[in-house]
Amino acid sequence: PFLLGRKTLAVNLSDLAAMGATPRWATLSIALPQADEGWLSRFAEGFFAMARQYGVDLIGGDTTRGPLTLAVQIMGEVPAGMALRRSGARAGDEVWVSGTLGAAALALAHLRRHVALSPQDAATCLARLHDPVPRVALGEALLGVAHAAIDVSDGLLADLGHILEASGTGAEVGFAALPAASALGCRLHEERARDCLLAGGDDYELCFTVPPAKREQVRA
């Protein structure tokens, strides 16, 4: 429940990060099959730990009985006219990705016993799956630098595809240049590992496009 509380807010913070927005407020609605004080206490502990870390105030919500359902609405602020959108990519832009990709999908494959990871790799990948880090500071820093951005929640190819469709353009992706999670390094000859890298979800990294003239700003 603690990690679920953190992730429930983190995945929504990732949406704001992709627009370059500063998080401010959230509402939380929960449906539970029955009251469980211990579960709620641990969930709330994780949720509010993440909220404090990113300066988010919980300003409302609702509770009801039913199948477990968690719904967060999150709000933030961005300077007028500067929000990063999916539709801003331009011909000639470079495509960038923060962090590394594929660890969360590999963790899920491990949990489903489709692959067998070493204890060390399993611990690293499971942390990426259960406790993602929203790239809020990076999103804010990309204002005025990037043309378009999205968070990688459904997999790199799908989410980059959303940018390309909204922007009316195309892209070439160099497979060898992709920032693969270390646990994938020796497995990239395997189809499942390549799927984790290209189409795995739950990375919550930022994919964004930048004009070549601003490459050094991104590196900085």
mmCIF file with all atom_site columns, all heavy atoms in Angstrom, residues 174-189:
data_model
loop_
_atom_site.group_PDB
_atom_site.id
_atom_site.type_symbol
_atom_site.label_atom_id
_atom_site.label_alt_id
_atom_site.label_comp_id
_atom_site.label_asym_id
_atom_site.label_entity_id
_atom_site.label_seq_id
_atom_site.pdbx_PDB_ins_code
_atom_site.Cartn_x
_atom_site.Cartn_y
_atom_site.Cartn_z
_atom_site.occupancy
_atom_site.B_iso_or_equiv
_atom_site.pdbx_formal_charge
_atom_site.auth_seq_id
_atom_site.auth_comp_id
_atom_site.auth_asym_id
_atom_site.auth_atom_id
_atom_site.pdbx_PDB_model_num
ATOM 1   N N   . GLY A 1 174 ? 17.286 5.260   -33.849 1.00 0.00 ? 174 GLY A N   1
ATOM 2   C CA  . GLY A 1 174 ? 18.442 4.369   -33.903 1.00 0.00 ? 174 GLY A CA  1
ATOM 3   C C   . GLY A 1 174 ? 18.416 3.421   -32.722 1.00 0.00 ? 174 GLY A C   1
ATOM 4   O O   . GLY A 1 174 ? 18.622 3.847   -31.576 1.00 0.00 ? 174 GLY A O   1
ATOM 5   N N   . PHE A 1 175 ? 18.155 2.141   -32.977 1.00 0.00 ? 175 PHE A N   1
ATOM 6   C CA  . PHE A 1 175 ? 18.000 1.179   -31.882 1.00 0.00 ? 175 PHE A CA  1
ATOM 7   C C   . PHE A 1 175 ? 19.240 1.142   -30.984 1.00 0.00 ? 175 PHE A C   1
ATOM 8   O O   . PHE A 1 175 ? 19.134 1.110   -29.756 1.00 0.00 ? 175 PHE A O   1
ATOM 9   C CB  . PHE A 1 175 ? 17.715 -0.213  -32.438 1.00 0.00 ? 175 PHE A CB  1
ATOM 10  C CG  . PHE A 1 175 ? 17.486 -1.257  -31.385 1.00 0.00 ? 175 PHE A CG  1
ATOM 11  C CD1 . PHE A 1 175 ? 16.265 -1.377  -30.753 1.00 0.00 ? 175 PHE A CD1 1
ATOM 12  C CD2 . PHE A 1 175 ? 18.519 -2.120  -31.013 1.00 0.00 ? 175 PHE A CD2 1
ATOM 13  C CE1 . PHE A 1 175 ? 16.054 -2.335  -29.766 1.00 0.00 ? 175 PHE A CE1 1
ATOM 14  C CE2 . PHE A 1 175 ? 18.317 -3.078  -30.033 1.00 0.00 ? 175 PHE A CE2 1
ATOM 15  C CZ  . PHE A 1 175 ? 17.087 -3.184  -29.406 1.00 0.00 ? 175 PHE A CZ  1
ATOM 16  N N   . ALA A 1 176 ? 20.404 1.160   -31.563 1.00 0.00 ? 176 ALA A N   1
ATOM 17  C CA  . ALA A 1 176 ? 21.642 1.047   -30.788 1.00 0.00 ? 176 ALA A CA  1
ATOM 18  C C   . ALA A 1 176 ? 21.864 2.250   -29.878 1.00 0.00 ? 176 ALA A C   1
ATOM 19  O O   . ALA A 1 176 ? 22.611 2.157   -28.897 1.00 0.00 ? 176 ALA A O   1
ATOM 20  C CB  . ALA A 1 176 ? 22.835 0.877   -31.727 1.00 0.00 ? 176 ALA A CB  1
ATOM 21  N N   . ALA A 1 177 ? 21.225 3.368   -30.196 1.00 0.00 ? 177 ALA A N   1
ATOM 22  C CA  . ALA A 1 177 ? 21.420 4.581   -29.399 1.00 0.00 ? 177 ALA A CA  1
ATOM 23  C C   . ALA A 1 177 ? 20.436 4.700   -28.242 1.00 0.00 ? 177 ALA A C   1
ATOM 24  O O   . ALA A 1 177 ? 20.553 5.603   -27.418 1.00 0.00 ? 177 ALA A O   1
ATOM 25  C CB  . ALA A 1 177 ? 21.294 5.811   -30.303 1.00 0.00 ? 177 ALA A CB  1
ATOM 26  N N   . LEU A 1 178 ? 19.454 3.785   -28.159 1.00 0.00 ? 178 LEU A N   1
ATOM 27  C CA  . LEU A 1 178 ? 18.447 3.889   -27.105 1.00 0.00 ? 178 LEU A CA  1
ATOM 28  C C   . LEU A 1 178 ? 19.062 3.610   -25.732 1.00 0.00 ? 178 LEU A C   1
ATOM 29  O O   . LEU A 1 178 ? 19.885 2.710   -25.576 1.00 0.00 ? 178 LEU A O   1
ATOM 30  C CB  . LEU A 1 178 ? 17.316 2.898   -27.374 1.00 0.00 ? 178 LEU A CB  1
ATOM 31  C CG  . LEU A 1 178 ? 16.449 3.193   -28.592 1.00 0.00 ? 178 LEU A CG  1
ATOM 32  C CD1 . LEU A 1 178 ? 15.408 2.090   -28.782 1.00 0.00 ? 178 LEU A CD1 1
ATOM 33  C CD2 . LEU A 1 178 ? 15.763 4.536   -28.458 1.00 0.00 ? 178 LEU A CD2 1
ATOM 34  N N   . PRO A 1 179 ? 18.654 4.373   -24.714 1.00 0.00 ? 179 PRO A N   1
ATOM 35  C CA  . PRO A 1 179 ? 19.210 4.212   -23.368 1.00 0.00 ? 179 PRO A CA  1
ATOM 36  C C   . PRO A 1 179 ? 18.547 3.047   -22.635 1.00 0.00 ? 179 PRO A C   1
ATOM 37  O O   . PRO A 1 179 ? 17.612 3.220   -21.863 1.00 0.00 ? 179 PRO A O   1
ATOM 38  C CB  . PRO A 1 179 ? 18.901 5.553   -22.702 1.00 0.00 ? 179 PRO A CB  1
ATOM 39  C CG  . PRO A 1 179 ? 17.633 6.004   -23.352 1.00 0.00 ? 179 PRO A CG  1
ATOM 40  C CD  . PRO A 1 179 ? 17.714 5.529   -24.782 1.00 0.00 ? 179 PRO A CD  1
ATOM 41  N N   . ALA A 1 180 ? 19.030 1.843   -22.865 1.00 0.00 ? 180 ALA A N   1
ATOM 42  C CA  . ALA A 1 180 ? 18.433 0.645   -22.278 1.00 0.00 ? 180 ALA A CA  1
ATOM 43  C C   . ALA A 1 180 ? 18.843 0.499   -20.817 1.00 0.00 ? 180 ALA A C   1
ATOM 44  O O   . ALA A 1 180 ? 19.979 0.807   -20.438 1.00 0.00 ? 180 ALA A O   1
ATOM 45  C CB  . ALA A 1 180 ? 18.868 -0.591  -23.058 1.00 0.00 ? 180 ALA A CB  1
ATOM 46  N N   . ALA A 1 181 ? 17.920 0.031   -19.994 1.00 0.00 ? 181 ALA A N   1
ATOM 47  C CA  . ALA A 1 181 ? 18.228 -0.303  -18.604 1.00 0.00 ? 181 ALA A CA  1
ATOM 48  C C   . ALA A 1 181 ? 19.341 -1.343  -18.570 1.00 0.00 ? 181 ALA A C   1
ATOM 49  O O   . ALA A 1 181 ? 19.430 -2.203  -19.446 1.00 0.00 ? 181 ALA A O   1
ATOM 50  C CB  . ALA A 1 181 ? 16.981 -0.824  -17.906 1.00 0.00 ? 181 ALA A CB  1
ATOM 51  N N   . SER A 1 182 ? 20.200 -1.266  -17.560 1.00 0.00 ? 182 SER A N   1
ATOM 52  C CA  . SER A 1 182 ? 21.369 -2.153  -17.503 1.00 0.00 ? 182 SER A CA  1
ATOM 53  C C   . SER A 1 182 ? 20.981 -3.629  -17.506 1.00 0.00 ? 182 SER A C   1
ATOM 54  O O   . SER A 1 182 ? 21.693 -4.461  -18.071 1.00 0.00 ? 182 SER A O   1
ATOM 55  C CB  . SER A 1 182 ? 22.205 -1.829  -16.261 1.00 0.00 ? 182 SER A CB  1
ATOM 56  O OG  . SER A 1 182 ? 21.432 -1.984  -15.079 1.00 0.00 ? 182 SER A OG  1
ATOM 57  N N   . ALA A 1 183 ? 19.847 -3.967  -16.885 1.00 0.00 ? 183 ALA A N   1
ATOM 58  C CA  . ALA A 1 183 ? 19.417 -5.367  -16.838 1.00 0.00 ? 183 ALA A CA  1
ATOM 59  C C   . ALA A 1 183 ? 19.059 -5.908  -18.213 1.00 0.00 ? 183 ALA A C   1
ATOM 60  O O   . ALA A 1 183 ? 18.992 -7.131  -18.414 1.00 0.00 ? 183 ALA A O   1
ATOM 61  C CB  . ALA A 1 183 ? 18.232 -5.520  -15.891 1.00 0.00 ? 183 ALA A CB  1
ATOM 62  N N   . LEU A 1 184 ? 18.829 -5.021  -19.178 1.00 0.00 ? 184 LEU A N   1
ATOM 63  C CA  . LEU A 1 184 ? 18.501 -5.448  -20.542 1.00 0.00 ? 184 LEU A CA  1
ATOM 64  C C   . LEU A 1 184 ? 19.737 -5.642  -21.393 1.00 0.00 ? 184 LEU A C   1
ATOM 65  O O   . LEU A 1 184 ? 19.669 -6.229  -22.476 1.00 0.00 ? 184 LEU A O   1
ATOM 66  C CB  . LEU A 1 184 ? 17.600 -4.407  -21.220 1.00 0.00 ? 184 LEU A CB  1
ATOM 67  C CG  . LEU A 1 184 ? 16.140 -4.345  -20.801 1.00 0.00 ? 184 LEU A CG  1
ATOM 68  C CD1 . LEU A 1 184 ? 15.479 -3.113  -21.405 1.00 0.00 ? 184 LEU A CD1 1
ATOM 69  C CD2 . LEU A 1 184 ? 15.396 -5.595  -21.236 1.00 0.00 ? 184 LEU A CD2 1
ATOM 70  N N   . GLY A 1 185 ? 20.867 -5.132  -20.919 1.00 0.00 ? 185 GLY A N   1
ATOM 71  C CA  . GLY A 1 185 ? 22.059 -5.043  -21.752 1.00 0.00 ? 185 GLY A CA  1
ATOM 72  C C   . GLY A 1 185 ? 22.449 -6.331  -22.445 1.00 0.00 ? 185 GLY A C   1
ATOM 73  O O   . GLY A 1 185 ? 22.735 -6.346  -23.653 1.00 0.00 ? 185 GLY A O   1
ATOM 74  N N   . CYS A 1 186 ? 22.476 -7.440  -21.714 1.00 0.00 ? 186 CYS A N   1
ATOM 75  C CA  . CYS A 1 186 ? 22.924 -8.703  -22.299 1.00 0.00 ? 186 CYS A CA  1
ATOM 76  C C   . CYS A 1 186 ? 21.776 -9.492  -22.923 1.00 0.00 ? 186 CYS A C   1
ATOM 77  O O   . CYS A 1 186 ? 21.967 -10.625 -23.377 1.00 0.00 ? 186 CYS A O   1
ATOM 78  C CB  . CYS A 1 186 ? 23.612 -9.560  -21.231 1.00 0.00 ? 186 CYS A CB  1
ATOM 79  S SG  . CYS A 1 186 ? 22.528 -10.038 -19.867 1.00 0.00 ? 186 CYS A SG  1
ATOM 80  N N   . ARG A 1 187 ? 20.577 -8.895  -22.943 1.00 0.00 ? 187 ARG A N   1
ATOM 81  C CA  . ARG A 1 187 ? 19.392 -9.618  -23.416 1.00 0.00 ? 187 ARG A CA  1
ATOM 82  C C   . ARG A 1 187 ? 18.820 -9.046  -24.716 1.00 0.00 ? 187 ARG A C   1
ATOM 83  O O   . ARG A 1 187 ? 17.802 -9.531  -25.194 1.00 0.00 ? 187 ARG A O   1
ATOM 84  C CB  . ARG A 1 187 ? 18.293 -9.564  -22.355 1.00 0.00 ? 187 ARG A CB  1
ATOM 85  C CG  . ARG A 1 187 ? 18.629 -10.276 -21.051 1.00 0.00 ? 187 ARG A CG  1
ATOM 86  C CD  . ARG A 1 187 ? 17.550 -10.012 -20.008 1.00 0.00 ? 187 ARG A CD  1
ATOM 87  N NE  . ARG A 1 187 ? 17.723 -10.813 -18.811 1.00 0.00 ? 187 ARG A NE  1
ATOM 88  C CZ  . ARG A 1 187 ? 17.155 -11.992 -18.593 1.00 0.00 ? 187 ARG A CZ  1
ATOM 89  N NH1 . ARG A 1 187 ? 16.346 -12.512 -19.500 1.00 0.00 ? 187 ARG A NH1 1
ATOM 90  N NH2 . ARG A 1 187 ? 17.366 -12.664 -17.480 1.00 0.00 ? 187 ARG A NH2 1
ATOM 91  N N   . LEU A 1 188 ? 19.445 -8.027  -25.270 1.00 0.00 ? 188 LEU A N   1
ATOM 92  C CA  . LEU A 1 188 ? 18.817 -7.324  -26.384 1.00 0.00 ? 188 LEU A CA  1
ATOM 93  C C   . LEU A 1 188 ? 18.748 -8.151  -27.665 1.00 0.00 ? 188 LEU A C   1
ATOM 94  O O   . LEU A 1 188 ? 18.155 -7.720  -28.643 1.00 0.00 ? 188 LEU A O   1
ATOM 95  C CB  . LEU A 1 188 ? 19.519 -5.991  -26.637 1.00 0.00 ? 188 LEU A CB  1
ATOM 96  C CG  . LEU A 1 188 ? 19.248 -4.932  -25.556 1.00 0.00 ? 188 LEU A CG  1
ATOM 97  C CD1 . LEU A 1 188 ? 20.003 -3.646  -25.853 1.00 0.00 ? 188 LEU A CD1 1
ATOM 98  C CD2 . LEU A 1 188 ? 17.747 -4.655  -25.427 1.00 0.00 ? 188 LEU A CD2 1
ATOM 99  N N   . HIS A 1 189 ? 19.356 -9.347  -27.646 1.00 0.00 ? 189 HIS A N   1
ATOM 100 C CA  . HIS A 1 189 ? 19.173 -10.265 -28.773 1.00 0.00 ? 189 HIS A CA  1
ATOM 101 C C   . HIS A 1 189 ? 17.849 -11.011 -28.639 1.00 0.00 ? 189 HIS A C   1
ATOM 102 O O   . HIS A 1 189 ? 17.412 -11.675 -29.586 1.00 0.00 ? 189 HIS A O   1
ATOM 103 C CB  . HIS A 1 189 ? 20.324 -11.268 -28.837 1.00 0.00 ? 189 HIS A CB  1
ATOM 104 C CG  . HIS A 1 189 ? 20.399 -12.163 -27.643 1.00 0.00 ? 189 HIS A CG  1
ATOM 105 N ND1 . HIS A 1 189 ? 20.882 -11.712 -26.422 1.00 0.00 ? 189 HIS A ND1 1
ATOM 106 C CD2 . HIS A 1 189 ? 20.040 -13.459 -27.450 1.00 0.00 ? 189 HIS A CD2 1
ATOM 107 C CE1 . HIS A 1 189 ? 20.833 -12.705 -25.547 1.00 0.00 ? 189 HIS A CE1 1
ATOM 108 N NE2 . HIS A 1 189 ? 20.311 -13.769 -26.141 1.00 0.00 ? 189 HIS A NE2 1
#
